[in-house]
Amino acid sequence: MTTSSRQPVLYLSHGAPPLADDQLWTRQLADWASAIDKPTAILIVSAHWEAAPLTLGATETVPLVYDFGGFPERYYQVKYPAPGAAELAAKVRRLLRTPETPIADDPRRGLDHGAYVPLVEMYPGADVPVLQISMPTLEPAALVDIGRRLAPLRDEGVLIVGSGFFTHNLHAMTPHLGPDHAPPSWSSEFDDWGDRAIESGDFDSLIDFERKAPAARLAHPRTEHFAPLFVALGAAVDTLRARRSVIDGFWFGLAKRSWQFD
């Protein structure tokens, strides 16, 4: 069953497809979803879709986007036939479209792995309508504004999810050391700074993270995996009562910290 109660906002670290083989992470996602009232629909912003103007993905069930390469064939056989969210798409258009802010549609664009990999674990029945939208920019303040304009959807039972990774430097990963090895200092320092900044509500520093955070350029050589956090913060900031880090720890040296904003 779905609910029309106000939904929280999530920022989660989604990982590459092999993270779905991590039993701890998959259990954490499943437990997280079970602790939240089941949403009427899910609106997700993934680090893996940048397109301007802001673009709405498919509003009916279409094939997934396997936007990765070099993995075993089984990762390309995953299916997630979630219902389309045409009604939600219409509401998003009304909330976001202005003469200065055009909205585009890409009806053939399915969910990418930043969307479906965590959703397979959280809502395995694929019975909640899902709409993915693009990030038209990586500029934090602009993304916060998008989140603020989407915030009314929460009162209609829509779960807004930003999907990225709390630190993300693939060239500095440590696959030779194993997934549970101690993280490099640049990753742990950024993770600690971000944890404290969010917990204390220091959103000004977060928006200016490229200058304020330690090791920011190492933690995010490009910022697309941190950027979905700002959509989540925008959707929560005007009504924020509580925030908590739901998942922490590291995977091959990258911080998989994930947040819930109530």
Side-chain angles (χ1 to χ4, degrees):
M1 294 184 63
T2 57
T3 178
S4 59
S5 63
R6 172 179 283 174
Q7 286 289 312
V9 182
L10 312 184
Y11 169 81
L12 56 83
S13 295
H14 63 253
L19 193 49
D21 298 330
D22 185 312
Q23 293 184 358
L24 171 62
W25 183 76
T26 56
R27 185 176 70 252
Q28 288 172 323
L29 285 179
D31 290 346
W32 193 2
S34 68
I36 299 170
D37 287 340
K38 193 169 184 180
T40 59
I42 297 169
L43 176 62
I44 192 161
V45 179
S46 162
H48 296 283
W49 192 16
E50 299 173 54
L54 188 145
T55 305
L56 309 187
T59 55
E60 59 184 37
T61 305
V62 299
L64 300 175
V65 177
Y66 302 104
D67 53 335
F68 46 83
F71 291 99
E73 179 61 25
R74 62 190 175 89
Y75 294 118
Y76 303 90
Q77 300 304 317
V78 174
K79 308 296 180 188
Y80 194 72
E87 182 180 350
L88 176 57
K91 294 175 181 178
V92 170
R93 291 187 193 98
R94 288 197 295 270
L95 290 169
L96 295 183
R97 179 178 282 152
T98 69
E100 296 77 28
T101 310
I103 303 295
D105 289 274
D106 188 349
R108 294 178 294 180
R109 214 275 184 183
L111 303 176
D112 63 44
H113 81 269
Y116 75 77
V117 167
L119 292 181
V120 164
E121 310 303 332
M122 298 178 80
Y123 301 101
D127 55 353
V128 180
V130 180
L131 175 69
Q132 185 172 351
I133 65 174
S134 74
M135 289 190 296
T137 178
L138 297 180
E139 203 279 308
L143 294 172
V144 169
D145 181 63
I146 289 170
R148 270 200 170 107
R149 291 155 67 186
L150 293 170
L153 297 171
R154 297 175 57 196
D155 290 319
E156 300 183 36
V158 177
L159 181 65
I160 299 174
V161 180
S163 178
F165 220 86
F166 210 65
T167 62
H168 191 264
N169 185 337
L170 298 185
H171 296 292
M173 285 181 69
T174 56
H176 60 292
L177 298 176
D180 301 319
H181 193 272
S185 60
W186 57 262
S187 188
S188 60
E189 289 172 5
F190 185 95
D191 175 66
D192 177 67
W193 177 88
D195 180 39
R196 289 185 287 106
I198 294 173
E199 185 61 40
S200 66
D202 188 1
F203 300 138
D204 289 339
S205 292
L206 286 163
I207 286 174
D208 197 23
F209 77 96
E210 289 186 274
R211 292 193 297 175
K212 297 291 180 63
R217 291 294 184 183
L218 279 172
H220 292 282
R222 277 193 92 245
T223 62
E224 79 284 353
H225 275 74
F226 204 56
L229 172 66
F230 297 109
V231 179
L233 288 174
V237 70
D238 290 336
T239 58
L240 190 60
R241 298 192 308 273
R243 47 194 171 268
R244 61 188 180 96
S245 178
V246 179
I247 296 173
D248 58 15
F250 298 85
W251 185 71
F252 289 109
L254 303 183
K256 57 181 181 179
R257 189 174 297 277
S258 301
W259 287 85
Q260 178 171 323
F261 305 100
D262 292 310

